[in-house]
Amino acid sequence: MLFKQTRIGQYGIPFVIYKFRTIPKGMSSPDAWGRFLRKTKIDELPQLYNILKGEMVLVGPRPDIPGYADKLEGMDRQILNLKPGITGLASLKYRNEEQLLALQSNPLLYNDIVIWPDKVRINLWYCHNRTFLMDLKILFYTIFPCHFDVDNYVENYFKNDK
């Protein structure tokens, strides 16, 4: 079954994103099947339809829900010039975001003051430095989820990868 949600896309234009439903109706958390779909990222496959519609690309900043993208100010709004992606550098860094938030006493506050600003920083860096080879690397680490230190990659990019 599909899950549909409004997200903010390129130039701040809302669109409907598609995913496989991981939380059964009437429940507040994923069941075993839903956890499997999320862990393997199979729940993201319906977003290929968003790519076909021209709303998304394979690699780029993940599209935010309304209420976050609207908070972008100044230079940070440049992120909205890109089409959102199914995966990206911030997605790699926060691959285990659900588990990280589960450890917090106030997950929403932690997301708002720690995770979301860090994602904005990473996505803005990506916006200014993206290359085809970088996108291939991001796809590789998305498909083969071995250790990839995003902060180290960003910090040392000009020394090693260009």
Side-chain angles (χ1 to χ4, degrees), residues 63-131:
D64 283 315
I65 59 173
Y68 280 91
D70 349 18
K71 293 179 184 177
L72 293 171
E73 296 178 346
M75 297 285 286
D76 293 345
R77 292 196 60 79
Q78 292 175 5
I79 296 167
L80 296 175
N81 291 334
L82 299 178
K83 282 188 182 180
I86 291 178
T87 188
L89 283 173
S91 299
L92 292 178
K93 179 171 181 180
Y94 291 102
R95 180 185 309 269
N96 63 346
E97 183 175 344
E98 268 188 71
Q99 293 89 345
L100 183 61
L101 289 172
L103 298 172
Q104 307 306 316
S105 58
N106 188 335
L108 184 59
L109 181 64
Y110 187 81
N111 180 71
D112 290 352
I113 64 172
V114 176
I115 295 177
W116 190 74
D118 193 39
K119 286 181 177 180
V120 170
R121 175 189 64 85
I122 293 166
N123 288 331
L124 189 60
W125 183 90
Y126 173 81
C127 182
H128 292 286
N129 297 287
R130 65 195 173 110
T131 65

Side-chain angles (χ1 to χ4, degrees), residues 21-22 30-38:
R21 182 177 292 283
T22 58
D31 58 11
W33 177 246
R35 285 190 300 275
F36 169 77
L37 290 175
R38 285 186 179 184

Side-chain angles (χ1 to χ4, degrees), residues 3 6 8 17 29 35 49 53 66 77 80 117 125 155 158:
F3 169 76
T6 299
I8 303 301
I17 196 172
S29 60
R35 285 190 300 275
Y49 179 65
K53 287 176 64 180
R77 292 196 60 79
L80 296 175
W125 183 90
E155 187 176 310
F158 292 104

Side-chain angles (χ1 to χ4, degrees), residues 57-61 82 87-89 122-140 148 153 157-158 160-162:
V57 292
L58 285 174
V59 179
L82 299 178
T87 188
L89 283 173
I122 293 166
N123 288 331
L124 189 60
W125 183 90
Y126 173 81
C127 182
H128 292 286
N129 297 287
R130 65 195 173 110
T131 65
F132 178 70
L133 288 175
M134 183 186 300
D135 285 357
L136 289 178
K137 184 176 271 193
I138 293 168
L139 283 171
F140 175 84
F148 181 68
Y153 178 75
Y157 178 73
F158 292 104
N160 301 325
D161 274 22
K162 268 207 153 180

